[in-house]
Amino acid sequence: MKLRIFPLLALVLVLALLPVGTALADPYDPNAPFALMPEDLYAQAAVVMDADSGRILFDKNATERVYPASTTKIMTLLLACEYGHFDDMITIPEEASDISSDSSVVPVTPGETMRFIDLLYGLEMHSGNDAANAVAVIVSGSVANFVAMMNQRAQQLGMTGTHYANAHGLHDAMHYTTAQDLAILTAEALKNDTFRQIVSSLSYEMAPTEERGALWLSCSYDVMNPNSDLYYEGCIGVKSGFTSNAGQSFVGAAERDGLTLISVAMNCAPTNDDEAKRTKFVDTVRLLDFGFSQYDAYDFTTLFDLATQDTPLVTMVQEAHQDDPYGGQLTLSAAQVNGNWQNKMVYGDEAALNQAVQEFRQSLSVTIQQDVMAPVTSGQTLGSISYSDPEGNAMTGVLVASRSVEAMTFWYKLSHNTTFRVCVALLAAIIVIFIVLRIRVTVVRNRRRKQLMERKRRELERYQREQRMRGKW
C-alpha cells in the first residue's frame, strides 16, 4: 500500500517545484492540425465553417449561448454597409456619447461631421462603441430601431440562438449569440464588398474634422500582423471582442485557393494575464488550420488527368513509323492554360473527389485536330480545350502531343503504297513481256539465220556439184 503512494507523492513534488504560473505542456500538435480536439482549444465555444457551402467543419459547443461583446459590431457594420451612402457627410448624433466610461471609442464627438465611410472604419478598427451608436441612429433614426433591424436580420439569416439588445456589445443579459450564429452572420457579411474591404484593412487614415486632425487607424490582430508569430497567411479579419462577462473572443476568416473559411472562438480562457489576448488568436490559427486540412487542392492539370484517366484523349497519326510501339496512336495532354482558374478545393473522401472530377468533365469542351500526319514532336499543338463552371472558373488552353512520333521510311511507304504496287506490277509485266518478245525475236532471228545458212550450204553444194560435173565432162 505504501509503495502505491510513492508515485503520487513524486507527482505532487514535481508540481510543487514548478515555477508559479507555469502551465502544463500543451497537447496540441501543430504538425497534425487535422487531429484537433475540443480540449485543444482555449475557447468555451468554437466553430470553423466553409463560408460558401455553410458546411460546419468543426465545432465545440457551437450552439451554446455566449455573450458576443464587440463581435456584435459585425452585424452593426453589415447593416451599415447595406445602408450605403458611404461618401455622405454625416453629423455625429448625441447618442454616440451614451456609452459607459470604460468603453472603447474612435473617438467621435456629437455634432462632429465626417464622411460615413470614415465612421465605419472607426467602428471596426478602433471598435468604437461611440461609432456603433452613431451608426445606429444614422441608419435607422434611433438605437432602438436599429436593434430591431439587427434582430430582424438575424432572424432572416437563421441565427436562431441570437438576440441583440444594443449595437455595440456592452454586456446585457438579453444580448447573446452562439459561435455558429456568428459564423453564419460573417459568411453573409463577407459577401458585401465594402464590409470585406473594411475588416481586412491593416490601416486607414480618417480625414481631419473641425474637432480633430487626421486620425490614423491600424489593425491590432496578431493573425493579420506579418511580424507576429501568430500571423496567418490569407487572413481577412474579422472582429475581436472582450468584456469581463464575455471573455476574449475573435471571429476570423481566411481565404486560400478560392476557399473561404470562418473561425469563431468565444470566451477563450487565458493561461495567464500576459497570454489573455493571445489565446483567441491561438485558437483561430488552430481552427483555420483544421479547416484547411479537410480540403485537398487540385490544380487544372491534375483534374484534367483524373477526368481523362479512363477515357484518355487520343488521336491517330497517319504515316507513323512502321516500328512505332503504339501503332501511331498518340495521347494528348493539356498545356498553356489561360484564364482565371483557381485550384479546386475538394472536401471529403474519394467519393467527393469523384464528384468533383465528374463536374469538371461536364464543364470541359475539347476539340482535337483531325488528319494528323507524321512526324509529330512532343509538345506539338494538336487541339484546344475550354472550361467554364458555375463558380466562375474559366480558362482556355491547348492539347499537345505527349510524345514524338516519327514518320515511316520512304522505302517502307513505297512498299505499302497501292499505286506504287500497281506500278511495280505493270513494270514487271512490261519487263516480262519485253523479255518474252526479246526471246521470240532472238529465236526467230536464229531460225532465219539457220535457214539462210542452210540455203547457202545447199547452194554451195549445188555449185560444187555443177563444177565437178563440168570438169568431168
Side-chain angles (χ1 to χ4, degrees):
M1 182 68 179
K2 293 181 179 180
L3 292 176
R4 295 179 181 177
I5 297 177
F6 287 147
L8 179 60
L9 292 176
L11 177 60
V12 172
L13 180 61
V14 170
L15 292 175
L17 291 175
L18 286 173
V20 176
T22 300
L24 294 176
D26 186 348
Y28 176 75
D29 182 3
N31 296 316
F34 51 84
L36 181 69
M37 300 294 290
E39 55 267 26
D40 294 328
L41 299 175
Y42 297 98
Q44 168 194 340
V47 70
V48 61
M49 185 180 83
D50 182 331
D52 294 326
S53 67
R55 181 186 296 116
I56 300 297
L57 306 175
F58 180 93
D59 80 273
K60 175 183 179 180
N61 303 323
T63 58
E64 181 178 302
R65 183 179 294 184
V66 293
Y67 295 121
S70 283
T71 62
T72 299
K73 296 183 177 79
I74 297 173
M75 176 65 85
T76 305
L77 180 58
L78 172 59
L79 293 179
C81 289
E82 291 177 341
Y83 170 75
H85 302 282
F86 302 115
D87 291 325
D88 285 3
M89 295 300 295
I90 54 93
T91 300
I92 302 300
E94 289 295 330
E95 288 84 349
S97 61
D98 186 18
I99 53 177
S100 62
S101 58
D102 59 348
S103 286
S104 56
V105 294
V106 176
V108 293
T109 305
E112 184 179 7
T113 58
M114 65 180 66
R115 288 194 313 158
F116 189 47
I117 190 67
D118 285 353
L119 182 64
L120 299 188
Y121 273 96
L123 170 73
E124 164 64 21
M125 301 186 73
H126 272 192
S127 197
N129 292 343
D130 50 355
N133 276 356
V135 166
V137 174
I138 292 167
V139 170
S140 64
S142 70
V143 172
N145 288 344
F146 189 78
V147 171
M149 286 179 60
M150 295 170 72
N151 285 314
Q152 183 180 12
R153 193 76 169 94
Q155 186 177 8
Q156 290 173 351
L157 293 174
M159 298 167 60
T160 57
T162 297
H163 183 268
Y164 293 109
N166 57 61
H168 40 60
L170 289 175
H171 181 68
D172 186 305
M174 294 304 295
H175 188 85
Y176 53 83
T177 188
T178 69
Q180 182 169 301
D181 281 0
L182 281 171
I184 293 171
L185 169 62
T186 305
E188 177 67 18
L190 286 174
K191 296 176 184 177
N192 186 291
D193 292 339
T194 305
F195 178 96
R196 193 182 186 100
Q197 177 182 336
I198 292 173
V199 300
S200 61
S201 296
L202 297 178
S203 62
Y204 184 79
E205 184 178 7
M206 292 178 64
T209 69
E210 67 278 9
E211 299 291 335
R212 56 162 174 79
L215 183 59
W216 184 259
L217 311 177
S218 61
C219 177
S220 60
Y221 303 150
D222 288 354
V223 286
M224 294 181 68
N225 180 4
N227 297 319
S228 170
D229 62 318
L230 291 174
Y231 173 69
Y232 201 83
E233 184 178 355
C235 186
I236 50 176
V238 174
K239 190 73 187 74
S240 66
F242 172 75
T243 65
S244 58
N245 296 96
Q248 293 285 351
S249 302
F250 186 72
V251 178
E255 183 177 41
R256 293 180 181 175
D257 291 321
L259 172 67
T260 301
L261 297 184
I262 296 166
S263 64
V264 180
M266 304 300 292
N267 192 14
C268 298
T271 56
N272 54 57
D273 291 342
D274 294 335
E275 292 291 312
K277 294 182 180 180
R278 281 178 56 88
T279 52
K280 58 189 174 186
F281 298 123
V282 171
D283 278 5
T284 296
V285 170
R286 294 179 180 184
L287 287 165
L288 291 173
D289 277 350
F290 175 87
F292 284 115
S293 75
Q294 304 306 298
Y295 290 80
D296 289 314
Y298 290 88
D299 59 20
F300 179 87
T301 302
T302 302
L303 280 177
F304 179 87
D305 291 342
L306 290 172
T308 58
Q309 181 174 305
D310 296 330
T311 55
L313 300 179
V314 298
T315 188
M316 292 301 300
V317 179
Q318 299 181 31
E319 298 188 4
H321 194 277
Q322 62 270 21
D323 295 328
D324 185 78
Y326 301 98
Q329 181 172 291
L330 180 61
T331 302
L332 305 178
S333 56
Q336 297 181 10
V337 175
N338 301 305
N340 63 344
W341 171 267
Q342 289 181 310
N343 286 347
K344 191 82 169 179
M345 302 297 290
V346 179
Y347 170 81
D349 53 14
E350 186 175 352
L353 175 59
N354 291 338
Q355 177 66 25
V357 170
Q358 178 64 22
E359 293 173 356
F360 175 88
R361 187 184 292 115
Q362 292 173 351
S363 301
L364 188 67
S365 178
V366 176
T367 302
I368 299 176
Q369 179 180 328
Q370 301 298 315
D371 301 324
V372 179
M373 298 291 294
V376 173
T377 58
S378 179
Q380 180 177 330
T381 299
L382 295 176
S384 62
I385 49 178
S386 60
Y387 177 90
S388 179
D389 65 13
E391 286 76 31
N393 290 313
M395 51 70 57
T396 58
V398 295
L399 293 173
V400 298
S402 59
R403 64 184 181 90
S404 297
V405 180
E406 296 181 12
M408 67 174 58
T409 60
F410 175 74
W411 292 110
Y412 185 88
K413 185 188 299 185
L414 283 180
S415 66
H416 289 74
N417 184 280
T418 302
T419 302
F420 176 76
R421 289 180 176 179
V422 172
C423 291
V424 170
L426 289 175
L427 180 60
I430 291 171
I431 293 174
V432 169
I433 293 172
F434 175 80
I435 292 173
V436 170
L437 291 175
R438 185 69 179 176
I439 292 173
R440 182 174 179 80
V441 169
T442 302
V443 169
V444 171
R445 185 179 298 165
N446 289 339
R447 184 183 303 151
R448 288 179 179 176
R449 184 182 296 114
K450 286 181 180 180
Q451 290 175 349
L452 178 60
M453 292 179 65
E454 180 65 23
R455 188 168 58 250
K456 287 182 177 181
R457 184 184 64 77
R458 286 198 298 269
E459 288 178 356
L460 179 60
E461 288 179 350
R462 186 173 64 248
Y463 174 77
Q464 289 176 346
R465 269 196 316 271
E466 290 177 354
Q467 290 296 322
R468 283 195 302 269
M469 292 179 64
R470 288 176 182 171
K472 183 178 180 182
W473 293 101

